[in-house]
Amino acid sequence: MACLFCQKGFNTFSRLEPIHDLNQTPEFTIHDIVGESRNPYREIYECSDCHHFWWIRVKGTGDPRSTYPEYYEQTAELFDDQRSELIQNPTVAQLLQHSESKFPYTFFPEILETISKREPETLKRIFLDRVPNLPSSAKQWLRKWFQKQFPKDYDEEKERGFPSHASLVIPLANNELVLVTEWVAINQCVVLSEIDDLYTLTAIKLPENKVLWKQTVNRPFLEGISIPYLFYQSGYLCYFQGFQNGSEYFSQLNRPNELLVFDLQGNLLLSIPLSFRCYEILSTEERDVSENRVIQNFQFSILSDTLYLPHTNEVHVYDLITKKILQKIKTPNGEIFSGKVFQTESGVILFHTLKGVFAVNENWEIVFQYQSKYHPVMIDSNLNFYYYYSIIESIQTGEQKRFYQEKDSDIKLLFELASPPVMFPEGILIPFVWDKSFLLNQNLELIKELDITSSDTLGPHSFGTNKVPILVSDENITITNDFDSIAMIDFLGNQLCILPIQSEVLNVFSFDGKHTVVILTCFDEYSEENQVEFIFLDHKGKILLKKILPGPEGLSVSFDGILIFAQKNQIYSLDLFVESDLYLKNL
């Protein structure tokens, strides 16, 4: 006899049973649905006459706020022919085809048990390649199965890290930990490592994998706000070490204690004790416009072998060639120097402060100054000040431009900035929190309105130093939005691509001005280790490579596309262009 409900043309149905005894779950019959049946997998029943497969399950229903269900519900769903084929004839090909189809939670581990007896090598390849579109339960099963069936391979892969095509650069001591890597030349990378609370900078030349120099340093700035503590700037290697306790109760007010500046041969040029001012804005009026909570001026600038460093209400100017201090410039009105310096075509040095700008001539005399009442989010090269609530103030004319969102009720509300505006050739991009972005020209006139925005990094809980979610390269603009999308547009606002994502964006950068790299958080059941997803895009937004990598500690890319990453005490390299060729061939 064929299935009763199948004969009537039903594909799905459900029935309820009221709760009479909280200690007992009702026993629903299945005989009236599938007749004589067998149970190939949990919650899946096959009619022994017509061989149709049904998914029959029981769950509690009622008010979700209630401790106990009011009813139990039995639901039955007739599987279509495609899913039935997977149940009857399980193969790896069928599994991959239906990896996103609806099945009971335990189905994929159960069916993998069957497949593993027929196609163990294919499953091994799936684990090594980390096929992404499998359910979590299948990935977890594969990890445990691979560890049990191929223990030697598992230990090698875990020790070596993914991907397996990577080349070993250098091994470190057994218990040595890589904290960060930084490229300082096309073929030179500097590694900061720690072993038994001893910190070392090691410069490595690639592809020879030769150690060029080593320097011992003190503990990096790790306590408090998250900022880069080893980085390349304008021909020099810079390092923040130690920390000053900014607040007994608020760790975000902690700051580094010392700045070290090295040349690229590893020689220490300057070791400067830092005296940064850092405080939290308390004024309600101030917050109403700027929406910054914590002011931290860790930034400094290096122009033409000259270092410009904040020091209380002064700018200290150092000559990196002679290693001597050149000048101490008293800022106007005691304003705090933000660390940003620009040189105009006429040779005038322009300093950005937290609330304005001032300029000096060749004799270090102040020749121009302007101060706002509030803290701008950004000051552009045309000396326009941008505030959180979408106000642009021009110091040339004194006028203010505002951007409103008009509601159906004719109420106008000021847009709010999601992240700092960014300048691009002939224009500026302004991202708003209401999923809008505006492209403006140099005269601040609207060119185009876009229905995309960036991660929100400027809101009420901002801590003054934020990751930058928007990247401007030679030909395009990449806009990243956590747990939402990666979008790429050209300078006219035309959309080149939009890629949906479901995780946080850790970093977006370009190593050559043409290609874009986006690094995402990655919680992947194929591994229990800390991982990131690495996405490599061309200038049109085409994905050239997607990889799961260890990290993000120790991950960086050279100027010609050599990726460095660390796995425990070992450092590996990978040529992105070679890897992308292999990736595209396998698509």
Side-chain angles (χ1 to χ4, degrees), residues 447-498:
I447 301 173
K448 195 165 187 176
E449 181 178 321
L450 307 170
D451 291 327
I452 51 176
T453 192
S454 68
S455 298
D456 185 357
T457 64
L458 286 178
H461 304 293
S462 166
F463 293 127
T465 58
N466 308 297
K467 62 182 181 183
V468 180
I470 301 175
L471 171 72
V472 178
S473 59
D474 292 347
E475 301 179 46
N476 55 53
I477 305 171
T478 303
I479 306 167
T480 65
N481 194 358
D482 292 341
F483 306 98
D484 184 86
S485 63
I486 302 167
M488 189 178 287
I489 60 173
D490 63 20
F491 295 143
L492 297 177
N494 301 312
Q495 185 173 295
L496 301 176
C497 82
I498 185 159

Side-chain angles (χ1 to χ4, degrees), residues 225 250 252-253 279-281 292-296 462-464:
I225 200 162
F250 192 35
Q252 301 298 336
L253 288 175
Y279 54 93
E280 186 176 13
I281 295 173
N292 274 318
R293 290 293 184 263
V294 176
I295 297 300
Q296 290 272 23
S462 166
F463 293 127

Side-chain angles (χ1 to χ4, degrees), residues 394-431:
S394 171
I395 72 169
Q396 315 266 352
T397 63
E399 296 178 353
Q400 285 190 350
K401 186 178 181 71
R402 298 171 180 241
F403 297 97
Y404 293 98
Q405 170 147 11
E406 190 167 343
K407 301 291 185 179
D408 294 336
S409 59
D410 291 336
I411 294 176
K412 286 186 176 180
L413 298 175
L414 268 174
F415 273 112
E416 301 163 18
L417 289 177
S419 60
V422 294
M423 299 195 70
F424 63 92
E426 304 303 321
I428 190 158
L429 171 69
I430 304 184

Side-chain angles (χ1 to χ4, degrees), residues 183-189 204-207 557-562:
W183 289 90
V184 297
I186 288 180
N187 61 349
Q188 187 177 335
C189 177
I204 305 168
K205 184 179 180 182
L206 282 86
V557 182
S558 77
F559 308 119
D560 56 0
I562 301 300

Side-chain angles (χ1 to χ4, degrees), residues 266-298:
N267 302 308
L268 179 61
L269 303 178
L270 289 174
S271 173
I272 309 171
L274 299 176
S275 181
F276 289 157
R277 276 197 182 175
C278 110
Y279 54 93
E280 186 176 13
I281 295 173
L282 299 177
S283 162
T284 304
E285 181 187 19
E286 175 77 7
R287 288 203 305 262
D288 283 347
V289 175
S290 66
E291 200 68 23
N292 274 318
R293 290 293 184 263
V294 176
I295 297 300
Q296 290 272 23
N297 52 330
F298 296 117

Side-chain angles (χ1 to χ4, degrees), residues 200-251:
T200 306
L201 294 175
T202 304
I204 305 168
K205 184 179 180 182
L206 282 86
E208 296 91 336
N209 299 340
K210 176 184 176 183
V211 174
L212 298 178
W213 53 263
K214 285 192 174 189
Q215 277 277 11
T216 301
V217 291
N218 291 335
R219 181 182 176 87
F221 174 66
L222 299 172
E223 298 85 354
I225 200 162
S226 177
I227 62 170
Y229 46 82
L230 179 70
F231 49 94
Y232 171 90
Q233 187 171 133
S234 303
Y236 296 89
L237 182 68
C238 306
Y239 178 68
F240 282 133
Q241 69 180 19
F243 87 105
Q244 302 173 55
N245 197 358
S247 167
E248 182 180 354
Y249 307 102
F250 192 35
S251 66

